[in-house]
Coordinates of all heavy atoms in Angstrom, one line a residue:
M1 N 9.0 -1.4 3.2 CA 9.2 -0.6 1.9 C 7.9 -0.8 1.2 O 7.3 -1.8 1.1 CB 10.4 -1.1 1.2 CG 10.6 -0.4 -0.1 SD 12.2 -0.7 -0.9 CE 11.7 -1.9 -2.1
L2 N 7.4 0.4 0.8 CA 6.1 0.3 -0.2 C 6.5 0.5 -1.5 O 7.4 1.3 -1.9 CB 5.2 1.5 0.3 CG 4.6 1.4 1.7 CD1 3.7 2.7 2.0 CD2 3.8 0.1 1.8
I3 N 5.8 -0.3 -2.4 CA 5.9 -0.2 -3.8 C 4.5 0.3 -4.3 O 3.5 -0.3 -4.0 CB 6.3 -1.5 -4.5 CG1 7.8 -1.8 -4.0 CG2 6.3 -1.4 -6.1 CD1 8.2 -3.2 -4.5
T4 N 4.5 1.3 -5.1 CA 3.2 1.7 -5.7 C 2.9 1.0 -7.0 O 3.5 1.4 -8.0 CB 3.3 3.3 -5.8 OG1 3.4 3.9 -4.5 CG2 1.9 3.8 -6.3
C5 N 2.1 0.0 -7.0 CA 1.6 -0.6 -8.1 C 0.8 0.3 -9.0 O -0.2 1.0 -8.4 CB 0.8 -1.9 -7.7 SG 0.0 -2.7 -9.2
P6 N 0.9 0.4 -10.3 CA 0.0 1.4 -11.1 C -1.4 1.0 -11.1 O -2.3 1.9 -11.3 CB 0.7 1.3 -12.5 CG 1.9 0.6 -12.4 CD 2.0 -0.2 -11.1
Y7 N -1.7 -0.2 -10.7 CA -3.1 -0.7 -10.7 C -3.6 -0.6 -9.3 O -4.7 -0.1 -9.0 CB -3.2 -2.0 -11.3 CG -4.7 -2.5 -11.3 CD1 -5.6 -1.9 -12.1 CD2 -5.1 -3.6 -10.5 CE1 -6.9 -2.3 -12.2 CE2 -6.4 -4.0 -10.6 CZ -7.3 -3.4 -11.4 OH -8.6 -3.9 -11.5
C8 N -2.9 -1.2 -8.3 CA -3.5 -1.4 -7.0 C -3.1 -0.3 -6.0 O -3.8 -0.2 -4.9 CB -2.8 -2.7 -6.3 SG -3.0 -4.0 -7.3
G9 N -2.1 0.6 -6.3 CA -1.6 1.6 -5.4 C -0.6 1.1 -4.5 O 0.0 0.1 -4.8
P10 N -0.3 1.8 -3.4 CA 0.8 1.5 -2.5 C 0.6 0.2 -1.8 O -0.4 0.0 -1.2 CB 0.9 2.7 -1.5 CG 0.1 3.8 -2.1 CD -0.8 3.2 -3.0
R11 N 1.6 -0.7 -1.9 CA 1.5 -2.0 -1.3 C 2.9 -2.3 -0.7 O 3.9 -1.9 -1.0 CB 1.1 -3.1 -2.3 CG -0.2 -2.9 -2.9 CD -1.4 -3.2 -1.8 NE -2.6 -3.3 -2.4 CZ -3.5 -2.4 -2.5 NH1 -3.1 -1.2 -2.2 NH2 -4.7 -2.6 -3.1
D12 N 2.7 -3.3 0.4 CA 4.0 -3.7 1.0 C 4.9 -4.5 0.1 O 4.4 -5.3 -0.8 CB 3.7 -4.5 2.2 CG 4.9 -4.7 3.1 OD1 5.2 -3.8 3.9 OD2 5.5 -5.8 3.1
L13 N 6.2 -4.4 0.2 CA 7.2 -5.2 -0.6 C 6.9 -6.7 -0.5 O 7.1 -7.3 -1.6 CB 8.6 -4.9 0.0 CG 9.8 -5.8 -0.5 CD1 9.9 -5.5 -2.0 CD2 11.0 -5.5 0.3
A14 N 6.3 -7.1 0.5 CA 6.1 -8.6 0.7 C 5.1 -9.1 -0.4 O 5.1 -10.4 -0.7 CB 5.5 -9.0 2.1
E15 N 4.3 -8.3 -1.0 CA 3.4 -8.7 -2.1 C 4.0 -8.8 -3.4 O 3.5 -9.2 -4.3 CB 2.3 -7.6 -2.1 CG 1.4 -7.6 -0.9 CD 0.2 -6.7 -1.2 OE1 -0.1 -6.3 -2.3 OE2 -0.5 -6.5 -0.2
F16 N 5.3 -8.3 -3.5 CA 6.0 -8.4 -4.8 C 7.2 -9.3 -4.9 O 7.7 -9.8 -3.8 CB 6.6 -7.0 -5.1 CG 5.6 -5.9 -5.1 CD1 5.0 -5.3 -4.0 CD2 5.1 -5.4 -6.4 CE1 4.1 -4.3 -4.2 CE2 4.2 -4.5 -6.6 CZ 3.6 -3.9 -5.4
T17 N 7.5 -9.8 -6.1 CA 8.5 -10.7 -6.3 C 9.5 -10.2 -7.3 O 9.1 -9.7 -8.4 CB 7.9 -12.1 -6.9 OG1 6.9 -12.6 -6.0 CG2 9.1 -13.1 -7.1
Y18 N 10.8 -10.1 -7.0 CA 11.8 -9.8 -7.9 C 11.9 -10.6 -9.1 O 11.9 -11.8 -8.8 CB 13.1 -9.6 -7.2 CG 14.3 -9.1 -8.0 CD1 14.4 -7.8 -8.3 CD2 15.3 -10.0 -8.4 CE1 15.5 -7.3 -9.1 CE2 16.4 -9.7 -9.2 CZ 16.4 -8.3 -9.5 OH 17.5 -7.8 -10.2
Q19 N 11.9 -10.1 -10.3 CA 11.9 -10.9 -11.5 C 13.3 -10.8 -12.3 O 13.4 -11.4 -13.3 CB 10.8 -10.6 -12.4 CG 9.5 -10.8 -11.7 CD 9.1 -12.3 -11.7 OE1 9.0 -12.9 -12.7 NE2 8.9 -12.8 -10.5
G20 N 14.1 -9.9 -11.8 CA 15.3 -9.9 -12.5 C 15.7 -8.4 -13.1 O 14.9 -7.4 -13.0
D21 N 17.0 -8.3 -13.6 CA 17.5 -7.1 -14.1 C 16.9 -6.7 -15.4 O 16.8 -7.6 -16.2 CB 19.1 -7.4 -14.3 CG 19.8 -6.2 -14.8 OD1 19.2 -5.2 -15.2 OD2 21.1 -6.3 -14.8
A22 N 16.4 -5.5 -15.5 CA 15.7 -5.0 -16.8 C 16.7 -4.4 -17.7 O 16.1 -3.8 -18.7 CB 14.7 -4.1 -16.3
N23 N 17.9 -4.4 -17.5 CA 18.8 -3.7 -18.4 C 19.5 -4.8 -19.5 O 20.2 -4.3 -20.4 CB 20.1 -3.1 -17.6 CG 19.5 -2.0 -16.7 OD1 18.9 -1.2 -17.1 ND2 19.7 -2.2 -15.4
R24 N 19.3 -6.1 -19.2 CA 19.9 -7.0 -20.2 C 19.0 -7.3 -21.4 O 17.8 -7.1 -21.3 CB 20.2 -8.3 -19.4 CG 21.1 -8.2 -18.3 CD 21.2 -9.5 -17.5 NE 20.1 -10.1 -17.1 CZ 19.7 -11.4 -17.1 NH1 20.7 -12.2 -17.7 NH2 18.6 -11.9 -16.8
A25 N 19.7 -7.5 -22.5 CA 19.0 -7.9 -23.7 C 19.2 -9.3 -24.0 O 20.3 -9.8 -24.2 CB 19.6 -6.9 -24.9
R26 N 18.0 -10.0 -24.2 CA 18.0 -11.4 -24.5 C 18.3 -11.6 -25.9 O 17.8 -11.0 -26.9 CB 16.6 -12.0 -24.2 CG 16.6 -13.5 -24.3 CD 15.1 -13.9 -24.1 NE 15.0 -15.4 -24.2 CZ 14.8 -16.2 -23.4 NH1 14.4 -15.7 -22.2 NH2 14.7 -17.5 -23.6
P27 N 19.3 -12.5 -26.2 CA 19.6 -12.9 -27.6 C 18.4 -13.5 -28.4 O 17.5 -13.9 -27.7 CB 20.7 -13.9 -27.4 CG 21.3 -13.8 -26.1 CD 20.2 -13.3 -25.2
D28 N 18.5 -13.4 -29.6 CA 17.5 -14.1 -30.4 C 17.3 -15.5 -29.9 O 18.4 -16.3 -29.9 CB 17.9 -13.9 -31.9 CG 16.7 -14.7 -32.8 OD1 15.8 -15.3 -32.3 OD2 17.0 -14.4 -34.0
P29 N 16.1 -16.0 -29.7 CA 16.0 -17.4 -29.2 C 16.6 -18.5 -30.2 O 16.9 -19.5 -29.7 CB 14.5 -17.6 -29.0 CG 14.0 -16.2 -28.8 CD 14.9 -15.4 -29.6
A30 N 16.6 -18.1 -31.5 CA 17.2 -19.0 -32.5 C 18.7 -18.9 -32.6 O 19.3 -19.7 -33.3 CB 16.6 -18.7 -33.8
S31 N 19.3 -18.1 -31.8 CA 20.7 -17.8 -31.9 C 21.5 -19.0 -31.3 O 21.1 -19.5 -30.2 CB 21.2 -16.6 -31.2 OG 22.5 -16.4 -31.1
T32 N 22.5 -19.4 -32.0 CA 23.5 -20.4 -31.4 C 24.8 -19.8 -30.9 O 25.7 -20.5 -30.6 CB 23.7 -21.5 -32.3 OG1 24.3 -20.9 -33.5 CG2 22.5 -22.2 -32.7
D33 N 24.8 -18.5 -30.7 CA 26.0 -17.7 -30.3 C 26.2 -18.0 -28.8 O 25.6 -17.3 -28.0 CB 25.8 -16.3 -30.6 CG 27.1 -15.4 -30.2 OD1 28.0 -16.0 -29.6 OD2 27.0 -14.2 -30.5
Q34 N 27.1 -18.9 -28.5 CA 27.3 -19.4 -27.1 C 27.7 -18.2 -26.2 O 27.3 -18.0 -25.2 CB 28.2 -20.6 -27.0 CG 28.3 -21.3 -25.7 CD 26.9 -21.8 -25.3 OE1 26.3 -22.5 -26.1 NE2 26.5 -21.5 -24.1
A35 N 28.6 -17.4 -26.7 CA 29.2 -16.2 -26.0 C 28.1 -15.3 -25.6 O 28.0 -14.8 -24.5 CB 30.2 -15.6 -26.8
A36 N 27.1 -15.0 -26.6 CA 26.1 -14.0 -26.3 C 25.1 -14.6 -25.2 O 24.6 -14.0 -24.3 CB 25.2 -13.7 -27.5
W37 N 24.9 -15.9 -25.3 CA 24.0 -16.6 -24.2 C 24.7 -16.6 -22.9 O 24.0 -16.4 -21.8 CB 23.6 -18.0 -24.7 CG 22.4 -18.0 -25.7 CD1 22.5 -18.2 -27.0 CD2 21.1 -17.6 -25.3 NE1 21.3 -18.0 -27.6 CE2 20.4 -17.7 -26.6 CE3 20.4 -17.3 -24.2 CZ2 19.0 -17.4 -26.6 CZ3 19.1 -17.0 -24.4 CH2 18.4 -17.1 -25.5
N38 N 26.0 -16.9 -22.8 CA 26.8 -16.8 -21.6 C 26.6 -15.4 -21.0 O 26.5 -15.3 -19.8 CB 28.2 -17.2 -21.8 CG 28.3 -18.7 -22.0 OD1 27.5 -19.5 -21.6 ND2 29.5 -19.1 -22.5
V39 N 26.8 -14.4 -21.8 CA 26.8 -13.0 -21.3 C 25.4 -12.7 -20.7 O 25.3 -12.3 -19.6 CB 27.2 -12.0 -22.4 CG1 26.8 -10.5 -21.9 CG2 28.7 -12.1 -22.6
Y40 N 24.4 -13.1 -21.5 CA 23.0 -12.9 -21.0 C 22.7 -13.7 -19.8 O 22.0 -13.2 -18.8 CB 22.0 -13.3 -22.1 CG 20.6 -13.3 -21.7 CD1 19.9 -12.1 -21.6 CD2 19.9 -14.5 -21.3 CE1 18.6 -11.9 -21.1 CE2 18.6 -14.3 -20.9 CZ 17.9 -13.2 -20.8 OH 16.6 -13.1 -20.4
T41 N 23.2 -14.8 -19.6 CA 22.8 -15.8 -18.5 C 23.6 -15.5 -17.2 O 23.2 -15.5 -16.1 CB 23.0 -17.2 -18.9 OG1 22.2 -17.5 -20.1 CG2 22.6 -18.2 -17.8
Y42 N 24.9 -15.2 -17.3 CA 25.7 -15.1 -16.2 C 26.3 -13.8 -15.9 O 26.6 -13.5 -14.7 CB 27.0 -16.1 -16.4 CG 26.5 -17.5 -16.5 CD1 26.6 -18.2 -17.7 CD2 25.9 -18.2 -15.4 CE1 26.2 -19.5 -17.9 CE2 25.4 -19.5 -15.6 CZ 25.7 -20.1 -16.7 OH 25.1 -21.5 -16.9
D43 N 26.5 -12.9 -16.8 CA 27.1 -11.7 -16.5 C 26.1 -10.7 -15.9 O 25.0 -10.4 -16.3 CB 27.6 -10.9 -17.8 CG 29.0 -11.5 -18.3 OD1 29.4 -12.6 -17.7 OD2 29.5 -11.1 -19.3
R44 N 26.6 -10.1 -14.7 CA 25.7 -9.1 -13.9 C 26.6 -7.9 -13.7 O 27.8 -8.0 -13.5 CB 25.3 -9.7 -12.6 CG 24.4 -11.0 -12.7 CD 23.1 -10.7 -13.2 NE 22.3 -11.8 -13.3 CZ 22.0 -12.7 -14.3 NH1 22.7 -12.5 -15.4 NH2 21.1 -13.6 -14.2
V45 N 25.8 -6.8 -13.8 CA 26.4 -5.5 -13.5 C 25.9 -5.0 -12.0 O 24.7 -5.1 -11.7 CB 26.0 -4.4 -14.4 CG1 26.6 -3.1 -14.0 CG2 26.5 -4.8 -15.9
N46 N 26.9 -4.8 -11.1 CA 26.5 -4.4 -9.7 C 26.4 -2.9 -9.7 O 27.4 -2.3 -9.4 CB 27.6 -4.9 -8.8 CG 27.2 -4.8 -7.4 OD1 26.0 -4.6 -7.0 ND2 28.1 -5.0 -6.4
T47 N 25.3 -2.4 -10.0 CA 25.0 -1.1 -10.3 C 25.0 -0.2 -8.9 O 24.5 -0.8 -7.9 CB 23.7 -0.7 -10.9 OG1 23.7 -1.5 -12.2 CG2 23.5 0.7 -11.2
L48 N 25.6 0.8 -8.9 CA 25.6 1.8 -7.7 C 24.7 3.0 -8.2 O 25.1 3.8 -8.9 CB 27.1 2.2 -7.3 CG 27.2 3.2 -6.2 CD1 26.7 2.4 -4.9 CD2 28.6 3.6 -6.0
G49 N 23.5 3.0 -7.6 CA 22.6 4.1 -8.0 C 21.4 3.5 -8.7 O 20.9 2.4 -8.3
D50 N 20.8 4.3 -9.5 CA 19.5 3.9 -10.1 C 19.7 2.7 -11.0 O 20.5 2.5 -11.8 CB 18.9 5.0 -11.0 CG 18.3 6.1 -10.3 OD1 18.2 6.0 -9.0 OD2 18.1 7.2 -10.7
H51 N 18.8 1.7 -10.8 CA 18.8 0.4 -11.5 C 17.4 0.0 -12.0 O 16.5 0.0 -11.2 CB 19.4 -0.6 -10.5 CG 19.8 -1.9 -11.1 ND1 19.0 -3.2 -10.7 CD2 20.6 -2.3 -12.0 CE1 19.5 -4.1 -11.5 NE2 20.5 -3.6 -12.3
A52 N 17.3 -0.3 -13.2 CA 16.0 -0.9 -13.7 C 15.8 -2.4 -13.5 O 16.7 -3.1 -13.6 CB 15.9 -0.6 -15.2
E53 N 14.7 -2.7 -12.9 CA 14.4 -4.0 -12.4 C 13.0 -4.5 -12.9 O 12.0 -3.6 -13.0 CB 14.5 -4.1 -10.9 CG 15.8 -3.7 -10.3 CD 15.9 -3.6 -8.8 OE1 14.8 -3.3 -8.3 OE2 17.0 -3.8 -8.3
Y54 N 12.8 -5.8 -13.1 CA 11.5 -6.4 -13.3 C 11.0 -6.9 -12.0 O 11.7 -7.5 -11.2 CB 11.5 -7.5 -14.3 CG 11.8 -7.1 -15.7 CD1 12.9 -7.5 -16.4 CD2 11.0 -6.1 -16.4 CE1 13.2 -7.1 -17.7 CE2 11.1 -5.8 -17.7 CZ 12.3 -6.2 -18.4 OH 12.6 -5.8 -19.6
W55 N 9.7 -6.6 -11.6 CA 9.0 -7.1 -10.4 C 7.7 -7.7 -10.8 O 7.1 -7.2 -11.9 CB 8.9 -6.0 -9.4 CG 10.2 -5.7 -8.7 CD1 11.2 -4.9 -9.3 CD2 10.6 -5.9 -7.4 NE1 12.1 -4.8 -8.4 CE2 11.8 -5.4 -7.1 CE3 9.9 -6.7 -6.4 CZ2 12.5 -5.4 -6.0 CZ3 10.7 -6.8 -5.2 CH2 12.0 -6.3 -4.9
Q56 N 7.2 -8.5 -10.1 CA 5.7 -9.0 -10.3 C 5.0 -8.7 -9.0 O 5.4 -9.1 -7.9 CB 5.6 -10.4 -10.7 CG 4.2 -10.8 -11.0 CD 4.0 -12.3 -11.3 OE1 4.8 -13.1 -10.9 NE2 2.9 -12.6 -11.9
H57 N 3.9 -8.1 -9.2 CA 2.9 -8.0 -8.0 C 2.1 -9.3 -7.8 O 0.9 -9.3 -8.1 CB 1.9 -6.8 -8.4 CG 1.1 -6.4 -7.1 ND1 0.2 -5.4 -7.0 CD2 1.4 -6.8 -5.7 CE1 -0.2 -5.3 -5.7 NE2 0.5 -6.2 -5.0
S58 N 2.9 -10.3 -7.3 CA 2.5 -11.6 -7.2 C 1.4 -11.8 -6.1 O 0.6 -12.7 -6.2 CB 3.6 -12.5 -7.0 OG 4.5 -12.1 -5.8
G59 N 1.4 -10.9 -5.1 CA 0.3 -11.0 -4.1 C -0.7 -10.1 -4.3 O -1.5 -9.8 -3.4
G60 N -0.8 -9.6 -5.5 CA -2.0 -8.6 -5.9 C -2.5 -8.9 -7.2 O -3.0 -10.0 -7.5
C61 N -2.4 -7.9 -8.1 CA -3.0 -8.0 -9.5 C -2.2 -8.8 -10.3 O -2.6 -9.2 -11.5 CB -3.1 -6.6 -10.1 SG -1.6 -5.8 -10.3
R62 N -1.0 -9.4 -9.9 CA -0.1 -10.2 -10.7 C 0.6 -9.6 -11.9 O 1.1 -10.3 -12.7 CB -0.8 -11.5 -11.1 CG -1.3 -12.2 -9.9 CD -1.7 -13.6 -10.1 NE -0.7 -14.5 -10.5 CZ 0.2 -15.0 -9.8 NH1 0.4 -14.7 -8.5 NH2 1.2 -15.8 -10.2
A63 N 0.4 -8.3 -12.0 CA 1.0 -7.6 -13.1 C 2.6 -7.6 -13.1 O 3.1 -7.6 -12.0 CB 0.6 -6.1 -13.2
H64 N 3.2 -7.6 -14.3 CA 4.7 -7.5 -14.3 C 5.0 -6.1 -14.4 O 4.3 -5.4 -15.3 CB 5.2 -8.3 -15.6 CG 5.0 -9.8 -15.3 ND1 6.0 -10.5 -14.8 CD2 4.0 -10.5 -15.6 CE1 5.6 -11.9 -14.7 NE2 4.5 -11.9 -15.2
L65 N 5.9 -5.6 -13.6 CA 6.3 -4.2 -13.6 C 7.7 -4.0 -13.9 O 8.6 -4.9 -13.5 CB 5.9 -3.6 -12.1 CG 4.5 -3.9 -11.7 CD1 4.4 -3.6 -10.2 CD2 3.5 -3.2 -12.5
K66 N 8.0 -2.8 -14.3 CA 9.3 -2.4 -14.6 C 9.5 -1.2 -13.7 O 8.8 -0.2 -13.8 CB 9.7 -2.0 -16.0 CG 11.1 -1.6 -16.2 CD 11.5 -1.3 -17.7 CE 12.8 -0.9 -17.9 NZ 13.0 -0.7 -19.3
M67 N 10.4 -1.2 -12.7 CA 10.8 -0.1 -11.9 C 12.2 0.3 -11.9 O 13.1 -0.5 -12.1 CB 10.2 -0.4 -10.4 CG 11.1 -1.3 -9.6 SD 10.4 -1.4 -8.0 CE 8.8 -2.2 -8.2
V68 N 12.4 1.6 -11.5 CA 13.8 2.1 -11.3 C 13.9 2.4 -9.9 O 13.1 3.1 -9.3 CB 14.0 3.3 -12.2 CG1 15.5 3.9 -11.9 CG2 13.8 3.1 -13.6
R69 N 14.9 1.6 -9.3 CA 15.1 1.8 -7.8 C 16.6 2.0 -7.5 O 17.5 1.5 -8.3 CB 14.8 0.3 -7.2 CG 15.0 0.3 -5.7 CD 14.7 -1.1 -5.2 NE 15.6 -2.1 -5.6 CZ 16.8 -2.5 -5.2 NH1 17.2 -1.9 -4.1 NH2 17.6 -3.3 -5.9
S70 N 16.8 2.9 -6.6 CA 18.2 3.3 -6.2 C 18.8 2.1 -5.4 O 18.2 1.8 -4.4 CB 18.3 4.5 -5.6 OG 19.6 4.7 -5.0
T71 N 19.9 1.6 -5.8 CA 20.6 0.4 -4.9 C 21.2 1.2 -3.7 O 21.5 0.4 -2.8 CB 21.6 -0.2 -5.7 OG1 22.5 0.6 -6.2 CG2 20.9 -1.0 -6.9
L72 N 21.3 2.4 -3.6 CA 21.8 3.1 -2.5 C 20.8 3.4 -1.4 O 21.1 3.2 -0.3 CB 22.5 4.5 -2.9 CG 23.8 4.4 -3.6 CD1 24.2 5.8 -4.2 CD2 24.9 3.9 -2.7
T73 N 19.6 3.9 -1.8 CA 18.7 4.3 -0.9 C 17.4 3.5 -0.9 O 16.6 3.6 0.0 CB 18.3 5.8 -1.1 OG1 17.7 5.9 -2.4 CG2 19.6 6.7 -1.0
H74 N 17.2 2.7 -2.0 CA 16.1 1.9 -2.2 C 14.9 2.7 -2.6 O 13.8 2.3 -2.7 CB 15.7 1.0 -1.0 CG 16.7 -0.1 -0.5 ND1 17.0 -1.1 -1.5 CD2 17.5 -0.1 0.4 CE1 18.0 -1.9 -0.9 NE2 18.2 -1.3 0.2
A75 N 15.2 4.0 -2.8 CA 14.1 4.9 -3.3 C 13.7 4.5 -4.7 O 14.6 4.2 -5.6 CB 14.5 6.3 -3.3
I76 N 12.4 4.4 -5.0 CA 11.8 4.0 -6.2 C 11.4 5.3 -7.0 O 10.6 6.1 -6.5 CB 10.6 3.1 -6.0 CG1 11.1 1.8 -5.4 CG2 10.0 2.8 -7.5 CD1 10.0 0.9 -4.8
S77 N 12.0 5.4 -8.2 CA 11.8 6.7 -8.9 C 10.7 6.5 -10.0 O 10.0 7.5 -10.5 CB 13.0 7.3 -9.6 OG 13.7 6.3 -10.3
S78 N 10.5 5.3 -10.5 CA 9.4 5.0 -11.4 C 8.9 3.6 -11.3 O 9.7 2.6 -11.1 CB 9.8 5.4 -12.9 OG 10.7 4.5 -13.3
V79 N 7.6 3.4 -11.6 CA 7.1 2.0 -11.7 C 6.0 2.0 -12.8 O 5.2 3.0 -13.0 CB 6.3 1.7 -10.4 CG1 5.8 0.2 -10.5 CG2 7.2 1.8 -9.3
E80 N 6.1 1.1 -13.8 CA 5.3 1.0 -14.9 C 5.0 -0.4 -15.3 O 5.7 -1.2 -15.0 CB 5.7 1.9 -16.1 CG 7.2 1.3 -16.6 CD 7.8 2.1 -17.6 OE1 7.6 3.4 -17.6 OE2 8.5 1.7 -18.4
F81 N 3.8 -0.7 -16.0 CA 3.5 -2.0 -16.5 C 4.7 -2.3 -17.5 O 5.1 -1.4 -18.4 CB 2.2 -2.0 -17.2 CG 1.1 -1.9 -16.2 CD1 0.1 -0.8 -16.3 CD2 0.9 -2.8 -15.1 CE1 -0.9 -0.7 -15.4 CE2 -0.2 -2.7 -14.2 CZ -1.0 -1.7 -14.3
V82 N 5.1 -3.5 -17.6 CA 6.0 -4.0 -18.6 C 5.2 -4.0 -19.9 O 5.9 -3.5 -20.9 CB 6.5 -5.4 -18.3 CG1 7.4 -6.0 -19.5 CG2 7.4 -5.4 -17.0
R83 N 4.0 -4.4 -20.1 CA 3.3 -4.3 -21.4 C 1.9 -3.9 -21.0 O 1.4 -4.1 -19.8 CB 3.3 -5.6 -22.0 CG 2.7 -6.8 -21.2 CD 2.9 -8.1 -21.8 NE 4.1 -8.7 -21.6 CZ 4.4 -9.3 -20.6 NH1 3.6 -9.5 -19.5 NH2 5.7 -9.9 -20.5
P84 N 1.2 -3.2 -21.9 CA -0.2 -2.8 -21.7 C -1.1 -4.0 -21.4 O -0.9 -5.1 -22.0 CB -0.6 -2.2 -23.0 CG 0.7 -1.8 -23.7 CD 1.7 -2.9 -23.2
H85 N -1.9 -4.0 -20.4 CA -2.8 -5.1 -20.1 C -4.2 -4.5 -19.9 O -4.5 -3.7 -19.0 CB -2.3 -5.6 -18.7 CG -3.0 -6.8 -18.4 ND1 -4.3 -6.9 -18.1 CD2 -2.5 -8.1 -18.3 CE1 -4.6 -8.3 -17.9 NE2 -3.5 -9.0 -18.0
P86 N -5.1 -4.9 -20.9 CA -6.4 -4.3 -20.8 C -7.2 -4.6 -19.6 O -8.0 -3.8 -19.2 CB -7.1 -5.1 -22.1 CG -6.2 -6.2 -22.4 CD -4.9 -5.9 -21.9
G87 N -6.8 -5.7 -18.8 CA -7.5 -5.9 -17.6 C -7.1 -5.0 -16.5 O -7.7 -5.0 -15.4
H88 N -6.0 -4.1 -16.7 CA -5.6 -3.3 -15.6 C -6.1 -1.9 -15.8 O -5.6 -1.0 -15.2 CB -4.1 -3.3 -15.6 CG -3.5 -4.6 -15.1 ND1 -2.3 -5.1 -15.5 CD2 -4.2 -5.5 -14.3 CE1 -2.1 -6.3 -14.9 NE2 -3.2 -6.6 -14.1
K89 N -7.1 -1.7 -16.7 CA -7.6 -0.3 -16.8 C -8.6 -0.1 -15.7 O -9.6 -1.0 -15.5 CB -8.5 -0.1 -18.0 CG -7.6 -0.1 -19.3 CD -8.4 0.1 -20.5 CE -7.6 -0.1 -21.8 NZ -8.2 0.0 -23.0
P90 N -8.4 0.9 -14.8 CA -9.3 1.1 -13.6 C -10.8 1.0 -14.0 O -11.7 0.6 -13.2 CB -8.8 2.3 -13.0 CG -7.5 2.5 -13.5 CD -7.4 1.9 -14.8
S91 N -11.2 1.6 -15.1 CA -12.6 1.7 -15.6 C -13.1 0.4 -15.8 O -14.5 0.2 -15.7 CB -12.7 2.5 -16.8 OG -11.9 2.0 -17.9
S92 N -12.4 -0.7 -16.0 CA -12.9 -2.0 -16.4 C -13.1 -2.8 -15.0 O -13.5 -4.0 -15.1 CB -12.1 -2.8 -17.4 OG -10.8 -3.2 -16.8
R93 N -12.5 -2.3 -13.9 CA -12.6 -3.1 -12.6 C -14.0 -3.0 -12.0 O -14.5 -1.9 -11.8 CB -11.6 -2.4 -11.8 CG -11.3 -3.1 -10.5 CD -10.2 -2.5 -9.7 NE -9.8 -3.2 -8.6 CZ -9.0 -2.8 -7.6 NH1 -8.4 -1.6 -7.7 NH2 -8.7 -3.5 -6.6
R94 N -14.4 -4.2 -11.8 CA -15.9 -4.3 -11.1 C -15.7 -4.0 -9.5 O -14.7 -4.5 -9.0 CB -16.4 -5.7 -11.3 CG -17.0 -5.8 -12.7 CD -17.6 -7.2 -12.9 NE -18.2 -7.8 -11.6 CZ -18.2 -9.0 -11.5 NH1 -17.9 -9.8 -12.4 NH2 -18.7 -9.6 -10.4
K95 N -16.7 -3.3 -9.1 CA -16.7 -3.1 -7.6 C -17.4 -4.4 -6.9 O -18.3 -5.1 -7.6 CB -17.5 -1.9 -7.2 CG -16.9 -0.6 -7.8 CD -17.7 0.5 -7.4 CE -17.0 1.8 -8.0 NZ -17.9 3.0 -7.8
P96 N -16.8 -4.7 -5.7 CA -17.5 -5.9 -5.1 C -19.0 -5.6 -4.9 O -19.4 -4.7 -4.5 CB -16.8 -5.9 -3.6 CG -15.5 -5.2 -3.9 CD -15.8 -4.2 -5.0
G97 N -19.8 -6.7 -5.3 CA -21.2 -6.7 -5.2 C -21.9 -6.0 -6.3 O -23.1 -6.2 -6.4
A98 N -21.1 -5.5 -7.3 CA -21.8 -4.8 -8.4 C -22.3 -6.0 -9.4 O -21.7 -7.1 -9.5 CB -20.8 -4.1 -9.2
A99 N -23.3 -5.6 -10.2 CA -23.8 -6.6 -11.2 C -22.8 -6.9 -12.2 O -22.1 -5.8 -12.6 CB -25.1 -6.0 -11.6
P100 N -22.7 -8.1 -12.8 CA -21.7 -8.3 -13.8 C -22.0 -7.6 -15.1 O -23.1 -7.2 -15.4 CB -21.7 -9.8 -14.0 CG -23.0 -10.4 -13.3 CD -23.4 -9.2 -12.3
Ligands
LIG201 ZN1 -0.9 -4.5 -8.5

């Protein structure tokens, strides 16, 4: 399976690490609501169809990505950076052997 990193382009799945479900909302870190933390920590939805997930391009640019993948076909319908990263602008990327 190929995943198209917005920075590196199409790469093999082996270069990526699954980081978790992107549909859950983390409670306020200062919250002491045990029920909310239990839901966040343990409750999972077994989605049939498109599912938003966090991945990291751990074998490449190390960017954290949010992608929508079908759990039926594994087809990926979107991949985007989780947060803007100035180092991931293609114009700032140095070519090998180029002067700094
Ligand atoms: Zn990448």
Side-chain angles (χ1 to χ4, degrees):
M1 183 167 97
L2 290 178
I3 296 175
T4 302
C5 172
Y7 182 66
C8 305
R11 295 290 193 267
D12 190 81
L13 169 67
E15 293 186 10
F16 294 83
T17 305
Y18 179 74
Q19 297 285 303
D21 184 348
N23 297 301
R24 298 181 304 140
R26 184 182 178 119
D28 180 351
S31 170
T32 58
D33 183 351
Q34 192 64 47
W37 280 106
N38 282 344
V39 167
Y40 174 75
T41 304
Y42 299 110
D43 284 1
R44 299 288 186 267
V45 176
N46 193 11
T47 303
L48 181 64
D50 286 349
H51 188 248
E53 302 169 335
Y54 291 120
W55 288 74
Q56 183 184 20
H57 193 184
S58 51
C61 65
R62 305 196 57 79
H64 291 268
L65 307 170
K66 181 178 181 179
M67 72 173 68
V68 177
R69 179 182 63 86
S70 170
T71 57
L72 285 172
T73 64
H74 298 292
I76 298 168
S77 57
S78 73
V79 181
E80 61 189 28
F81 292 119
V82 170
R83 63 185 78 81
H85 191 294
H88 290 153
K89 292 179 183 174
S91 61
S92 68
R93 189 175 184 186
R94 283 184 26 207
K95 293 179 182 174

